[in-house]
Amino acid sequence: MQSLEGTIERITYYNDETLFMVARLRTDDEQLVTVIGNMPRFSVGERLALQGEWVQHKDFGLQFKAARYELDAPHNEKGIRNFLASGLIRGVGPSTAEKIVAHFGLDALKVIAATPGRLCEVDGIGEKKAKMIAESLKERQEVMKVMTFLQSYGVGIGYAARIYRRYGEDTIARVSENPYRLAEEVFGVGFKTADKIALEMGLPANSPQRIRAALVYYLNEAQEQGHVFQPKTDLVKKICEALSTAEAPVAAEQVLQQIKHLAQSRQLVLENTGEEEAVFTAPLYHAECYVAGRLLSLAESRLAVGTVDFARLQAGGFSLAEAQRQAVMQAAEAGLLVITGGPGTGKTTTIRALLTLFQLNGLEVLLAAPTGRAAKRMTEATGMEAKTIHRLLEYAPVPGEASGFAFQRTEARPLEAHAVIIDEVSMVDLPLFYHLLQAVPAGCKLILVGDMDQLPSVGPGNVLRDIITSGAVPVVRLQHIFRQSAHSMIVSNAHAVNNGRMPKLQGSEDFFFLQESEPEKILQLILDLCRRRLPRFKNKDPIDDIQVLTPMRRTILGVDNLNLHLQNTLNPKAPHKTELRHGSVTFRLGDKVMQVRNNYQKEVFNGDVGRITYINSDDGEMFVVFPDVGGPREVVYDQTELDELVLAYATSVHKSQGSEYPVVVMPVVTQHFVMLQKNLLYTAITRAKELVVLIGTKKALAIAVHNNKVEARYTRLAARLANCR
């Protein structure tokens, strides 16, 4: 390779997505040359030491194509002055840069780094400004050193910035010591990226450290798919296939040894299920065991509140069906009750009746739901404040820990209530349910309300279904569709689908089926419905009131492609709309976006939907307003946090759980064959309050209706409950 050193005089071109740069470099012998290559966004005035080769471009002549780079300090006063005035160093503009270099000459950067107090010798610089300049220079130098280090292992600039933000000046030492920590500790950096770094650093392909990291990764990946454990045989096979190379095969015995090692160090737990051994991460194993024991304890408790006065409830406006009366009676006597039922079966009315009953008997009641949207609906339906479960349990920073968050309501400091009612329990995963049960005090009733036929939680476990199928807990099923709901084809068709029958497709004012088989035509039909036809028909806002749901992410009718076309149709590019490109997505002012991971610091959670109200394209800052129980709430995102957001004009049915939309539009096509399931279609239909429009073929609809296979999740909660009765 050839070498080249010099100072950047001009950035001719830079692509933020590919990191491709074309720059003019001034060499030490005052030659001006063109440099090209994939590099971080450098600035005018910075000095580079490059390795690469000279190439002849047919249009632009001789260029130096850089393969590697290092950031170097400027070698002359002009370079130092340009670097300080480039805007990279806070508190220094062209005038201040001129003064600093005039005073310190070639030693200017050394003075700033080693004795920043001497900057006060320069006219106009005080102690505060001197400190800011020194800190900014140090930060810049550290960032570039880290980026250079990570770039040599193929880590992109975006991830490099995020890694530096996590570890600061310790980045190189931490990553060199254990690259696999990146997969666990830095959002967006997965096992494969960390593994690539480790292998390039020389770690053997069959090393114990690599196998242990892979075990943790694949168990965590299984959790993201909803599983609480993995069968040992399946797990070992998966690890061997994933890690083996022709030069260094990974044997099953080697994986078994590391499973044993992690079990001995109490990171994993092995349990014989009667068929074969199950492999749990320790936290999920202990959570599942605790949940089973606590539920049985609550179910066995008797906490009568006195006589149930149905006449008084009726006088208060409650006309209850038999199953609802049964739910009220059981809730009055038992410490634990599950109430389940589909749409229109009176779950909300039952909650309101229970709330009234408890209040009449002087009980302190708390209401909660898994998401802000569900809590907001619960508040509107009951007239009493409902919180998200996280807020109910006071998830907050841990005193004395810079980045630690934890639930403040625990066994040591339980909730102050006589009864706790939780709605939309089908969305609650095992870890969150574990923390909830820890905070329920002795002598407190717990009422769980939800629809077990909906899709299960996004996180690990199948809590509501496992509790109900165990037979170990009191359950009341609401099945009667009330008269006011019977006129809604949405409700009756949802129940038809849930019972394995084809929905009624004609003669309705709130449920429509448009038959079309060609995906391109369906796409255009969806765009026309959202932009023109449905807003006119129902007088609805095309962005806020209409939600497109789809079973898959990819394909022409998948989430990604639909979002691209819906964004261009409903929120088209305009001079007054600021844009920000991040990866493959362009965010635009006014866009509808969704949070795709739980961010407890910002109190926004996986599935929350908001609107972009501000974009600063220069520094990558973005404001998003989310609806909340107490009213709209603005959340600020910086450049490194934008991976947490996606466009949300269209979303997957899984992500729509806990939400209600005035209008739902959904393609139902055979191209989505692998995802066409009864509970998915049922969940999609029940998201709509006023109107459902399905577009596709009757064949695809029939496939979904008759596919009652619930995707199996590896959990042991139902078995633990049943075995301990």
Side-chain angles (χ1 to χ4, degrees), residues 52 183 196 509 553 725:
K196 181 181 177 184
E509 295 183 359
R553 290 212 62 82
R725 278 198 295 171

Side-chain angles (χ1 to χ4, degrees), residues 18 134 216 235 259 355 380 427-428 430 505 541 589 626 680:
T18 64
V216 172
L235 181 62
I259 290 176
L355 184 57
E380 292 167 350
M427 296 179 64
V428 180
L430 178 66
L505 304 179
D541 184 277
L589 190 66
F626 292 94
L680 183 137

Side-chain angles (χ1 to χ4, degrees), residues 337-354:
L337 179 66
V338 175
I339 301 171
T340 187
T345 56
K347 294 192 299 295
T348 300
T349 299
T350 306
I351 291 173
R352 290 173 52 231
L354 288 173

Side-chain angles (χ1 to χ4, degrees), residues 302-595:
R302 290 291 174 264
L303 304 168
V305 299
T307 305
V308 179
D309 191 342
F310 282 109
R312 194 169 179 183
L313 284 175
Q314 188 166 356
F318 295 102
S319 179
L320 302 177
E322 181 57 36
Q324 291 173 305
R325 292 168 69 92
Q326 180 189 349
V328 171
M329 288 292 293
Q330 287 195 238
E333 297 175 0
L336 174 66
L337 179 66
V338 175
I339 301 171
T340 187
T345 56
K347 294 192 299 295
T348 300
T349 299
T350 306
I351 291 173
R352 290 173 52 231
L354 288 173
L355 184 57
T356 302
L357 170 68
F358 293 152
Q359 290 172 337
L360 287 174
N361 285 276
L363 272 62
E364 182 71 28
V365 186
L366 295 174
L367 306 180
T371 67
R373 296 159 296 164
K376 188 171 184 286
R377 288 207 322 274
M378 199 179 187
T379 298
E380 292 167 350
T382 62
M384 176 180 169
E385 182 190 11
K387 298 180 179 179
T388 63
I389 297 175
H390 283 87
R391 285 188 184 169
L392 180 74
L393 303 183
E394 299 176 18
Y395 193 83
V398 178
E401 293 188 20
S403 60
F405 278 67
F407 292 103
Q408 306 302 306
R409 292 291 182 175
T410 61
E411 287 178 319
R413 184 174 171 259
L415 296 166
E416 297 172 9
H418 300 104
V420 175
I421 303 176
I422 308 294
D423 197 11
E424 295 281 6
V425 180
S426 63
M427 296 179 64
V428 180
D429 62 21
L430 178 66
L432 183 57
F433 196 59
Y434 162 75
H435 288 292
L436 173 66
L437 289 181
Q438 279 196 313
V440 174
C444 178
K445 293 176 178 293
L446 179 62
I447 313 298
L448 305 174
V449 184
D451 184 350
M452 68 174 284
D453 295 316
Q454 287 189 24
L455 292 170
S457 60
V458 174
N462 204 346
V463 172
L464 183 62
R465 179 174 287 273
D466 283 350
I467 292 172
I468 292 172
T469 56
S470 73
V473 169
V475 177
V476 173
R477 287 179 169 81
L478 304 179
Q479 296 175 309
H480 175 72
I481 302 175
F482 287 89
R483 185 171 300 171
Q484 61 266 33
S485 297
H487 296 297
S488 167
M489 197 66 76
I490 295 174
V491 172
S492 59
N493 275 344
H495 284 277
V497 168
N498 198 35
N499 291 322
R501 304 194 311 272
M502 284 287 285
K504 186 177 179 182
L505 304 179
Q506 294 179 330
S508 168
E509 295 183 359
D510 66 359
F511 194 103
F512 294 91
F513 179 75
L514 306 181
Q515 188 153 325
E516 179 56 65
S517 60
E518 294 184 30
E520 279 286 358
K521 290 183 178 179
I522 294 175
L523 173 61
Q524 294 306 316
L525 191 51
I526 289 172
L527 298 178
D528 190 43
L529 283 165
C530 294
R531 179 181 62 84
R532 184 179 63 87
R533 292 169 60 176
L534 289 174
R536 288 182 183 178
F537 177 60
K538 281 288 186 177
N539 191 30
K540 296 298 181 186
D541 184 277
I543 296 179
D544 289 332
D545 296 333
I546 301 173
Q547 184 62 54
V548 178
L549 302 180
T550 184
M552 300 186 75
R553 290 212 62 82
R554 289 168 178 80
T555 75
I556 189 173
L557 296 173
V559 172
D560 297 337
N561 192 56
L562 282 169
N563 267 318
L564 181 64
H565 285 84
L566 285 164
Q567 180 192 42
N568 291 333
T569 300
L570 303 180
N571 188 31
K573 189 180 183 71
H576 67 281
K577 294 179 183 176
T578 318
E579 293 185 351
L580 180 60
R581 181 82 174 177
H582 184 73
S584 61
V585 179
T586 297
F587 293 110
R588 187 173 296 144
L589 190 66
D591 270 341
K592 183 178 183 179
V593 292
M594 176 183 285
Q595 177 80 12

Side-chain angles (χ1 to χ4, degrees), residues 43-46 71 80-94 96-97 100 109 112 119 129-142 144:
S43 293
V44 171
E46 290 194 288
L71 195 63
I80 295 171
R81 191 164 47 245
N82 288 343
F83 171 68
L84 290 174
S86 66
L88 292 169
I89 309 301
R90 294 189 300 275
V92 180
T96 303
I100 292 173
L109 295 179
I112 296 172
L119 283 172
K129 189 171 183 179
K131 183 180 179 182
M132 178 172 64
I133 293 170
E135 288 178 349
S136 183
L137 177 64
K138 181 182 179 184
E139 181 180 308
R140 176 66 180 174
Q141 290 172 335
E142 287 291 341
M144 293 313 300

Side-chain angles (χ1 to χ4, degrees), residues 5 157 295 366 506 535:
E5 293 186 17
I157 193 72
L295 284 173
L366 295 174
Q506 294 179 330

